Amino acid sequence: MTATEESTGHFGPYGGRFVPEALMAALDELEAAFDAATADPLFAHELSELERDYTGRPSPLTRARRFEEHCGGARVYLKREDLNHTGSHKINNVLGQALLTKRMGKSRIIAETGAGQHGVASATAAALMGLECVVYMGLEDTKRQALNVARMELLGATVVPVETGSQTLKDAINEAMRDWVTNVNHTHYLLGTVTGPSPFPRMVRHFHSVIGTESRKQILEVEGRLPDAVVACVGGGSNAMGLFSGFMDDPQVRLVGYEAGGEGVETGKHAARFAVGAPGVLHGARTYVMQDEWGQTVPSHSISAGLDYPGVGPEHAWLHDTGRATYEPVTDAQAMEAFSLMSRTEGIIPAIETAHALAGAMRLGRELGPDSVIVVNLSGRGDKDVVTAAQWFGMDIG
Amino acid sequence: MNPRTAAVFETARHEGRAALIGYLPAGFPTVDASIELIQTMFAGGVDLVEVGLPYSDPLMDGPAIQQAVETALAAGVTTTDVMRVVSEVAPAENQAVVVMSYWNPIERYGQSRFANDLHAAGGSGVITPDLIPEESGEWIEATNAAGIDRTFLVAPSSTDARIDRVASACTGFVYAASTMGVTGARDQVSSAAPELVARVRPFTDAPIGVGLGVSSARQAADIAGYANAVIVGSAFVRRILDSPDIDSAKAAVRDFAAELAAGVRAGGSLR
């Protein structure tokens, strides 16, 4: 990818803007505001103060000594984004975009959410900065993530259940786009991941790059060398992009993303875009899309609402094609095994999304062997998933 | 401009009126019924029909069209069916058929293949609501080679520079979105529409059609006072959704088309 391509919003053939003309002015405005903000030391200062005093950054890098016994002798480090305020990496991006919203003079944010993590983070930032907040969430997801719906409402946000299509994340994004095109004058669409039209993919990556920057510094401090691999789960791909960005220019560091293999890629019930998807256009960008022979989006499936999405960030598509990063599916069952193991060996209940990355680390550690070093993005905590996990493990929680 | 589209606007100009454009998704409520309904639109006085290609993620559409395309997709409508609808509606002289489609189905089908098959089916153009000229390099070549018109959209939020870019890339009519929002009938068409049309004029000699929210003969007459075409979609779809069977749907579509046709002939005089 050349700098020129990125400045037009492309990553190789991916990315770009496939949007109604009505949104072009808003995207141009956002891009100008973002570029001006990143060139402004005051903005960086304001954001880093919030990250330190509100989010609680830097997040620790924790050696997982008991968990790594199941990882082929690899030394496994967890980047603890679960310890951020609101319990996941999502806060990094929303604080940046909420500050931008104020700089653009807009008073209302809208957001989509799958697992609810981004919705909660958006509602939080809106409360902090005095912005109106509306969160679109698939009806199916409001049921499996009822706790997060309540959190958003307690924070003063309005949650709108989306009953169209498959009633999951992709339909929530459709509905958010419809709202945005109607109310764009005073509304910012606080997109929660590295998907969508330019400048969202590079902007959201920028706000999460703190994950990679901190991780690189921390691992050099404790290990005195770079890791052999950094790994993360990939739904839209924001936590992965944040971690990967810190190691992009270290060719000896493998970048590995784990996407939802659902009930198994062979069953068709999964969200393994790189396993079965093909390049296409979804939600404003060209990327890998799960689609049928006619270009209709195929519904995805995952036990994890946050990975249950038929598209993926366009930069991941480019990293996949160039071979700089690799992507593998992890099934529901593999993820839940890692979920249980992390809980019982480290006293950390991870988000089910994150559990996919942990299962990936177990697999990769066995491949890389003893004395290898792996950094896993522990992207979120699993409180929101307790009911789903209890059902999976057949527990009776009344 | 494709000769069929040109004939539509030439006839309207000759008759001193705006053209009437109607929209209906292919395969709604069934493929065969959509063919009959489109023929009914023509019989009622519609000059040009936009055949919608149903898509799984219609993020520019409001509830009526969402419901219609979900029905069509659930019944398994494909791009091949859309081509069949275009070829079987057989518009008369001075009538034309274009396809309205979100981008991914066209890219998946193959851009040249789509343009060529549409031309072979008798279609005259394609409207792409989520494609901007900057992403259209291959599409411009494919449509030029096939002799198919391209229509892109301008919106009230478009800057003059963007209006210039979009209008220059259109080879059929220019689609002016009357309002900021999604498709769906509105009681009033935004006051932004006349201003937008006036801003587009200096950049193109192409006809300008106004759509989004047009739902009555009176609105059609208003728009006919300043635009070259009046575009009505959701209001047709709503009438079909509200009809208990295909015969009453056809009657409702025919009556509504006739009302609108009278509207575009009244120009601004129904005010």
Side-chain angles (χ1 to χ4, degrees):
Chain A
M1 169 184 42
T2 67
T4 314
E5 280 172 324
E6 177 149 339
S7 71
T8 64
H10 293 84
F11 305 93
Y14 301 106
R17 288 180 178 174
F18 293 83
V19 292
E21 170 63 26
L23 290 177
M24 285 299 290
L27 291 170
D28 285 340
E29 177 193 20
L30 178 61
E31 183 147 53
F34 172 63
D35 288 339
T38 49
D40 180 355
L42 283 176
F43 182 83
H45 180 72
E46 197 175 2
L47 184 56
S48 65
E49 275 201 335
L50 277 173
E51 287 174 345
R52 185 192 63 205
D53 301 337
Y54 190 72
T55 307
R57 302 207 73 91
S59 63
L61 189 71
T62 305
R63 175 96 181 256
R65 288 183 187 276
R66 275 167 42 76
F67 178 76
E68 69 189 24
E69 289 169 13
H70 304 269
C71 301
R75 295 197 291 282
V76 174
Y77 291 86
L78 309 174
K79 181 58 176 165
R80 300 295 302 282
E81 294 297 299
D82 60 317
L83 295 179
N84 293 340
H85 179 46
T86 72
S88 81
H89 70 289
K90 293 291 187 187
I91 192 77
N92 304 323
N93 170 48
V94 300
L95 289 177
Q97 286 199 49
L99 282 180
L100 270 185
T101 304
K102 296 197 79 163
R103 277 173 81 105
M104 289 189 291
K106 296 186 173 184
S107 59
R108 178 174 179 264
I109 57 171
I110 55 172
E112 82 295 340
T113 199
Q117 307 266 56
H118 175 58
V120 168
S122 297
T124 300
L128 178 67
M129 300 193 198
L131 300 165
E132 183 189 347
C133 179
V134 175
V135 179
Y136 291 95
M137 189 170 188
L139 181 65
E140 187 68 27
D141 290 336
T142 62
K143 290 177 187 161
R144 53 182 169 177
Q145 301 290 347
L147 181 64
N148 270 342
V149 173
R151 289 170 79 194
M152 288 182 268
E153 290 174 347
L154 287 169
L155 290 160
T158 303
V159 179
V160 181
V162 176
E163 300 183 33
T164 53
S166 57
Q167 306 185 350
T168 60
L169 181 57
K170 90 174 174 71
D171 308 285
I173 294 175
N174 291 341
E175 207 56 37
M177 292 283 235
R178 292 179 186 119
D179 180 317
W180 198 29
V181 75
T182 307
N183 300 300
V184 67
N185 271 341
H186 66 288
T187 296
H188 172 61
Y189 180 14
L190 209 167
L191 185 59
T193 187
V194 289
T195 57
S198 178
F200 283 108
R202 71 180 175 97
M203 179 174 72
V204 176
R205 178 195 63 200
H206 174 84
F207 290 136
H208 282 305
S209 64
V210 64
I211 303 171
T213 306
E214 287 178 5
S215 297
R216 191 174 189 281
K217 183 163 170 281
Q218 289 166 321
I219 197 71
L220 285 173
E221 279 169 10
V222 292
E223 281 285 340
R225 71 170 179 97
L226 289 168
D228 297 287
V230 299
V231 310
C233 63
V234 180
S238 67
N239 90 79
M241 220 49 252
L243 180 62
F244 290 179
S245 67
F247 300 89
M248 202 63 79
D249 297 328
D250 301 314
Q252 68 272 42
V253 179
R254 282 177 62 176
L255 314 177
V256 189
Y258 295 96
E259 47 183 2
E263 295 177 14
V265 172
E266 69 288 348
T267 67
K269 300 188 77 177
H270 59 82
R273 293 71 43 100
F274 290 117
V276 305
V281 168
L282 179 65
H283 292 146
R286 180 175 287 116
T287 185
Y288 277 72
V289 180
M290 289 172 59
Q291 54 181 318
D292 68 14
E293 62 177 310
W294 304 106
Q296 306 291 342
T297 310
V298 172
S300 52
H301 169 84
S302 170
I303 189 171
S304 144
L307 304 185
D308 193 350
Y309 180 61
V312 65
E315 190 169 5
H316 285 296
W318 181 233
L319 293 173
H320 170 268
D321 282 13
T322 60
R324 179 64 189 94
T326 51
Y327 300 85
E328 293 175 21
V330 165
T331 63
D332 291 351
Q334 291 164 340
M336 292 313 292
E337 183 197 347
F339 176 97
S340 174
L341 202 56
M342 176 55 52
S343 301
R344 289 164 180 253
T345 59
E346 299 292 338
I348 298 170
I349 299 177
I352 296 178
E353 290 77 12
T354 306
H356 288 68
L358 294 167
M362 292 165 67
R363 189 190 294 170
L364 186 63
R366 290 171 196 142
E367 180 194 324
L368 294 176
D371 298 324
S372 59
V373 174
I374 300 173
V375 174
V376 186
N377 198 357
L378 208 293
S379 55
R381 68 178 187 223
D383 306 44
K384 69 183 177 60
D385 292 318
V386 166
V387 172
T388 306
Q391 284 168 349
W392 177 272
F393 294 115
M395 297 157 61
D396 182 6
I397 55 168
Chain B
M1 190 183 290
N2 179 284
R4 295 202 75 110
T5 317
V8 166
F9 286 101
E10 190 51 46
T11 300
R13 183 158 49 237
H14 184 69
E15 295 177 3
R17 63 175 176 89
L20 177 60
I21 298 178
Y23 163 95
L24 205 68
F28 168 68
T30 65
V31 173
D32 288 336
S34 66
I35 292 168
E36 287 182 45
L37 287 163
I38 289 167
Q39 289 170 332
T40 306
M41 289 169 90
F42 279 128
V46 171
D47 300 298
L48 185 151
V49 172
E50 299 173 0
V51 176
L53 193 158
Y55 174 55
S56 51
D57 294 276
L59 52 82
M60 270 288 280
D61 286 306
I65 293 177
Q66 284 179 47
Q67 191 181 337
V69 302
E70 277 189 26
T71 301
L73 288 171
V77 70
T78 67
T79 306
T80 305
D81 295 319
V82 175
M83 295 293 177
R84 177 162 84 83
V85 169
V86 171
S87 71
E88 292 195 13
V89 291
E93 292 284 316
N94 306 333
Q95 294 176 338
V97 180
V98 302
V99 167
M100 167 85 115
S101 179
Y102 288 91
W103 183 242
N104 198 50
I106 295 177
E107 189 166 296
R108 184 70 173 179
Y109 191 83
Q111 301 184 36
S112 289
R113 180 184 170 211
F114 192 95
N116 291 331
D117 286 2
L118 181 61
H119 186 265
S124 64
V126 183
I127 305 167
T128 46
D130 60 346
L131 184 69
I132 58 172
E134 288 87 335
E135 301 285 356
S136 303
E138 189 181 339
W139 180 236
I140 286 170
E141 287 178 24
T143 45
N144 283 347
I148 287 288
D149 291 334
R150 294 180 298 276
T151 287
F152 298 100
L153 278 69
V154 292
S157 60
S158 301
T159 60
D160 284 356
R162 287 212 56 79
I163 288 175
D164 187 12
R165 183 153 202 173
V166 171
S168 306
C170 293
T171 49
F173 61 96
V174 177
Y175 192 127
S178 70
T179 184
M180 297 295 289
V182 297
T183 60
R186 292 172 176 80
D187 291 339
Q188 289 202 311
V189 170
S190 143
S191 59
E195 186 196 328
L196 176 60
V197 172
R199 288 173 59 217
V200 176
R201 288 278 181 216
F203 294 105
T204 181
D205 296 327
I208 302 169
V210 170
L212 283 198
V214 187
S215 60
S216 71
R218 183 182 168 145
Q219 289 171 335
D222 274 352
I223 293 165
Y226 59 83
N228 305 99
V230 179
I231 306 170
V232 183
S234 296
F236 275 115
V237 170
R238 175 55 62 198
R239 278 165 174 75
I240 299 166
L241 287 169
D242 290 346
S243 297
D245 55 55
I246 184 66
D247 287 334
S248 47
K250 282 163 70 175
V253 163
R254 178 189 289 269
D255 291 349
F256 186 47
E259 282 173 38
L260 295 168
V264 298
R265 283 163 177 79
S269 64
L270 283 192
R271 270 173 227 267

